[in-house]
């Protein structure tokens, strides 16, 4: 095979530029509409080849997608001069967004599992389902820190904490790409997004300006990207829409070239976000037109424009006119070719007949994985008087109500034809000896015959006055039932990605829409034990629900088998294993509130509680655990030993003191007692533990330099001598010890004072 440099040298400027764009989304290209594929017309549109084509699986069956990608790959590899294959990009943040694909819990639900092995398994399945259809490039994982629950895209994140998101991100990239540089036939190129700081936009408004100091941006928001580059060899990174200090990320050479490339050593492909290049002109107003926008974006370090060549199609003319150097085009093209080389898409690489994908995946196995993931995504928030689990044999009558009960909630970036199991269907299938009745109770948006979707532009809230008769009917049925289950929260239309001005999705208030709080209060007032199952894109205001209901569970959109998973948890077939990946505020006015805030944050309110309603890592079990015997391998360690690679071991013992098997999340946090710059307490490790009743196990965390380092006043990363409090959490159990980090001359028990 020819080297990438040799291939690059052989290409004309038109062929180079053609590699720098996505030709469009397959379901929108007229040449590919329906079952008719006009290859000749598509080749005429792209005579010099094409870098990418988008979403061949959306709205298509598995077989149809496979046929399409096979035809297109063969045509472009055999009938264009350069013979370079195509990147087929797909959405896959919690399952391939394609016909007949498995829908796993939303990423925030996967984050609630705190289980990187599960996350890697999920994304391994996503990769296989993509390659079965001939697709080879996936926009995932999302590495944004979800620190503003008003933001509709919080469901796409793994949570709010940088260590949690970094750990899950590395697992996801490992599942998508595998561990080798060359990507296997059942894996895909991963595109991590959105670089960087996208998860805390101004006022929670998607793509709004981000107001972060450089230290917080580097310390927290950069961490997951650094991890997937250095530990996961991620193939592509997508730039975010927002601006930092007035400079849009799509034209920000400092962050793309100086930081991402030079500091972090990223050698892969940098992608625009959808229409992010022309938005330099239309939204940010830092460019005069699309050509100017493309010139700025590619000069800053962008390598490819998606989903259409609105600006990049002018790059050859920009070079000829002397407004852009050929070096910029060559750099971008080389990075695209490097990505394609990893997939075997260059010249004579790969089989003579382009692959239509790997053998079909085991759909049954993937559904079983989706069920397991959904079970681990559910968080038990309250369980007064141990109401749960319910006993199917003694539950004679059950009322199920609420606006989220009768519809499966699959989350955003799901194929529009996808289906799943609702909570109502799950309960009826599990509680077969009970009489399970349904009353709607309240509505959030539209009529049941036309359920609200992530795709629709206009979203009209239901008329609260119309709920009068529905609430009365639900309360009357609850009074006659042994237990009432209210399935409430939000839906895919009311809290979602607001991708344009005519498709909004962020919220100004976390209060649940309509009369859902009132419904739960009136059900509980009947005296019938009441369970609230909250399904939402992220945190909602649960103060009234928690005060009224006997038990409360929360799940982000739980995927196609979410209803079955929730029914199994309510029946006690499995444990509620989820723990919160984000903080639940008491009210919207507390935002921003998240784990890892600066020590000066949260002083208090005059007439309100400043603590969160539920903190990061919170979640109950059907059993109990005790935590004790914290120990450390050393109470004194030298800073230079840590930077040289040594670690400090911190161990604890945890025991299941209850009568049921169960799992617990054990977390370790590090708190720098005195530092030259204000430092928050930081999550430095976690472990899931499964124990039988009466059993114990010892857990050890190895803490290296990263757990103790900071960015000092000169933005240099170093470890300052001093005391560090190590705190281990398991549920409401806490154990702590102190580690002293000294410099070479520091042998005293007390650390020196710092400037």
């Amino acid at each position: 095979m020819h080297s990438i440099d040799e291939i690059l040298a052989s290409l004309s400027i038109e062929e180079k530029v053609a590699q720098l764009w996505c030709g469009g989304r397959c379901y929108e290209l007229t040449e590919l509409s329906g079952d008719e594929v006009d290859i000749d017309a598509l080749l005429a549109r792209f005579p010099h080849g094409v870098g990418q084509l988008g979403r061949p699986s959306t709205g298509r069956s598995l077989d149809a997608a496979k046929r399409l990608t096979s035809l297109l790959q063969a045509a472009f590899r055999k009938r264009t001069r350069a013979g370079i294959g195509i990147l087929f990009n797909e959405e896959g943040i919690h399952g391939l967004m394609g016909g007949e694909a498995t829908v796993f819990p939303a990423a925030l639900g996967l984050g609630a599992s705190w289980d990187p092995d599960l996350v890697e398994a999920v994304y391994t399945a996503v990769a296989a389902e993509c390659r079965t259809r001939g697709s080879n490039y996936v926009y995932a994982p999302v590495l944004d820190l979800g620190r503003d629950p008003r933001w509709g895209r919080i469901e796409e994140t793994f949570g709010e904490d940088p260590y949690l998101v970094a750990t899950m991100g590395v697992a996801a990239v490992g599942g998508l790409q595998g561990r080798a540089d060359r990507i296997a036939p059942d894996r895909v190129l991963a595109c991590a997004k959105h670089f960087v700081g996208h998860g805390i936009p101004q006022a929670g408004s998607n793509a709004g300006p981000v107001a972060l100091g450089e230290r917080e941006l580097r310390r927290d928001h950069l961490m997951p990207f650094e991890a997937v580059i250095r530990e996961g060899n991620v193939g592509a990174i997508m730039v975010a829409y927002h601006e930092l200090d007035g400079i849009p990320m799509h034209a920000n050479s400092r962050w793309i070239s100086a930081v991402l490339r030079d500091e972090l050593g990223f050698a892969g492909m940098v992608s625009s976000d959808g229409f992010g290049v022309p938005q330099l002109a239309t939204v940010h107003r830092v460019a005069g037109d699309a050509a100017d926008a493309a010139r700025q974006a590619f000069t800053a370090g962008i390598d490819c424009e998606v989903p259409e060549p609105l600006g990049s199609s002018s790059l050859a003319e920009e070079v000829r006119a002397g407004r852009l150097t050929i070096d910029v085009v060559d750099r971008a093209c080389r990075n695209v070719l490097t990505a394609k080389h990893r997939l075997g898409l260059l010249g004579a690489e790969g089989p003579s007949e382009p692959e239509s994908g790997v053998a079909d995946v085991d759909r049954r196995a993937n559904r079983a994985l989706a069920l397991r993931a959904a079970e681990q995504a559910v968080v038990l928030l309250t369980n007064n008087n141990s109401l749960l689990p319910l006993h199917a044999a003694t539950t004679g009558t059950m009322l199920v109500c609420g606006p989220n009960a009768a519809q499966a909630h699959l989350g955003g970036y799901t194929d529009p034809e996808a289906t799943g199991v609702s909570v109502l269907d799950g309960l009826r299938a599990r509680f077969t000896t009970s009489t399970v009745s349904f009353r709607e109770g309240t509505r959030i948006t539209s009529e049941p015959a036309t359920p609200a979707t992530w795709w629709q532009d206009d979203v009209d809230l239901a008329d609260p006055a119309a709920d009068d008769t529905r609430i009365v009917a639900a309360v009357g049925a609850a009074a006659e039932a042994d237990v009432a289950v209210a399935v409430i929260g939000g839906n895919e239309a009311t809290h979602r990605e607001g991708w344009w001005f005519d498709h909004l999705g962020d919220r100004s208030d976390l209060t649940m829409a309509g009369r859902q709080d009132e419904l739960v209060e009136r059900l509980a007032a009947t005296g019938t034990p009441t369970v609230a199952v909250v399904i939402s894109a992220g945190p909602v205001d649960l103060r009234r629900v928690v005060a009224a209901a006997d038990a409360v569970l929360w799940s982000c959109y739980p995927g196609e088998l979410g209803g079955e998973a929730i029914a199994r948890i309510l029946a006690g077939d499995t444990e509620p294993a989820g723990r919160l990946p984000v903080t639940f505020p008491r009210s919207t006015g507390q935002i921003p509130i998240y784990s890892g805030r600066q020590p000066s944050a949260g002083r208090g309110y005059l007439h309100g509680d400043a603590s969160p309603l539920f903190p990061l890592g919170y979640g109950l079990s059907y059993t109990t655990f005790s935590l004790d015997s914290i120990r450390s391998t050393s109470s004194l360690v030298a800073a230079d030993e840590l930077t040289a690679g040594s670690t400090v071991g911190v161990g604890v013992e945890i025991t299941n003191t209850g009568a049921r098997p169960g799992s617990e999340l054990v977390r370790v946090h590090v708190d720098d007692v005195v530092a030259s710059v204000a430092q928050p307490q930081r999550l430095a490790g976690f472990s899931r533990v499964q124990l039988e009743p009466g059993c114990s196990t010892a857990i050890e965390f190895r803490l290296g330099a990263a757990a103790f380092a900071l960015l000092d006043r000169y933005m240099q990363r170093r470890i300052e001598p001093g005391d560090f409090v190590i705190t281990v959490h398991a549920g409401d159990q806490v154990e702590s010890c102190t580690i002293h980090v000294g410099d070479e001359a520091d042998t005293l028990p007390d650390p020196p004072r710092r400037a």
Side-chain angles (χ1 to χ4, degrees), residues 187-238:
R187 305 289 178 137
V188 297
L189 190 78
C191 182
K193 55 187 188 177
H194 307 85
F195 189 81
V196 60
H198 196 47
I200 187 165
Q202 187 178 94
S205 179
N206 188 43
V210 170
L212 286 172
E214 183 166 346
R215 180 171 287 102
E216 182 178 354
L217 193 63
R218 286 177 171 273
R219 182 193 66 210
D220 295 351
H221 298 263
L222 212 58
M223 180 194 289
F225 290 95
E226 184 174 4
V228 298
I229 292 168
R230 297 184 176 172
E231 300 176 42
N233 191 22
V234 68
I237 287 177
M238 180 180 286

Side-chain angles (χ1 to χ4, degrees), residues 468-604:
D468 284 340
T469 57
R470 288 189 281 265
I471 291 177
V472 169
V475 171
E480 302 298 322
D482 293 321
V483 65
V485 179
V487 191
I488 57 175
N491 62 35
E492 291 85 344
T494 60
H495 200 189
R496 61 185 182 180
E497 179 184 357
W499 64 59
W500 199 238
F501 298 95
D502 61 355
H503 186 96
L504 301 175
D506 307 306
R507 301 189 61 188
S508 62
D509 195 312
L510 298 186
T511 304
M512 288 187 292
R515 299 169 65 180
Q516 298 182 82
D517 291 309
E518 179 188 346
L519 173 65
V520 175
E521 290 169 339
R522 291 177 64 175
L523 293 173
T526 66
T528 298
T530 300
V531 179
V533 176
V534 183
I535 299 175
S536 63
V540 291
D541 186 340
L542 291 179
R543 287 173 294 175
R544 292 172 61 183
V545 170
V546 166
D550 297 287
V552 180
L553 296 93
W554 173 81
S555 177
C556 193
Y557 304 125
E560 66 179 76
L561 293 177
E564 181 177 343
I566 289 169
R568 283 172 49 79
I569 289 170
L570 291 177
D573 301 330
T574 189
E575 298 290 308
R579 300 295 184 265
L580 289 180
V582 289
T583 298
F584 270 55
R586 292 183 183 275
S587 67
T588 307
Q590 286 182 292
I591 298 170
I593 180 171
Y594 50 84
S595 175
R597 289 194 300 167
Q598 296 296 101
S600 58
R603 176 172 294 180

